Amino acid sequence: MDPCPFCSIAAGRGLARMIFEDDHAVVFFPLVPATLGHTLVVPRVHAPDLWAMTPTRAERLLATALRVGAALRDHLAPEGMNVIHSAGSAASQTVFHAHVHLVPRWRGDAMGPLWPGGGAGVRDTAALDVLADEMAALLRPPAPPRG
């Protein structure tokens, strides 16, 4: 048996309520969904998270998530939808094979809020300003070579 449950499902050996598959991804309902329509979009090729994937594979995964999410929205008409990719145990990742959760949402459903309430969060504006400057510098296009 594969040590990765999602590799096993992608190979057709794992238990799943499969709703779509192609050469690049498998799409299925988890065995115990958080809400009606909760869906997993999983690449066939193992990678622990999006950042370990090639850009082309990540693009295919997200394109499939968009297609399936649109079908879920059209069919179930939820009040909202979470699109979740967790990378690392600190982000609540429990299966270390990249995947996207599509979670249709309704007021009062079992999911509950995803963000801290009551104004909790980072309030150190100086640290936020420094980080904003650092990230802007990292993302700035490189200067053209002189010559």
Side-chain angles (χ1 to χ4, degrees):
M1 182 172 184
D2 292 313
C4 173
F6 290 171
C7 285
S8 182
I9 290 169
R13 294 188 298 270
L15 182 61
R17 290 183 182 95
M18 193 72 65
I19 63 169
F20 176 80
E21 59 183 298
D22 64 16
D23 292 341
H24 308 287
V26 292
V27 182
F28 54 93
F29 296 144
L31 297 178
V32 182
T35 66
L36 182 67
H38 176 187
T39 302
L40 298 176
V41 183
V42 178
R44 285 191 181 274
V45 174
H46 184 91
D49 57 45
L50 284 176
W51 290 272
M53 297 174 73
T54 66
T56 299
R57 286 190 174 144
E59 289 167 6
R60 286 180 183 143
L61 180 69
L62 296 176
T64 301
L66 286 170
R67 177 179 175 205
V68 174
L72 285 166
R73 253 188 14 202
D74 291 347
H75 187 67
L76 294 175
E79 295 175 68
M81 186 176 309
N82 289 118
V83 179
I84 304 166
H85 171 76
S86 299
S89 56
S92 301
Q93 185 179 10
T94 57
V95 177
F96 293 89
H97 181 127
H99 57 286
V100 175
H101 292 263
L102 301 171
V103 186
R105 299 296 306 270
W106 290 269
R107 284 179 186 81
D109 65 27
M111 278 289 289
L114 295 179
W115 304 106
V122 177
R123 294 192 163 249
D124 183 344
T125 58
L128 293 171
D129 291 342
V130 168
L131 181 58
D133 290 342
E134 291 169 347
M135 291 306 300
L138 288 170
L139 296 170
R140 193 172 296 123
R146 293 184 200 194

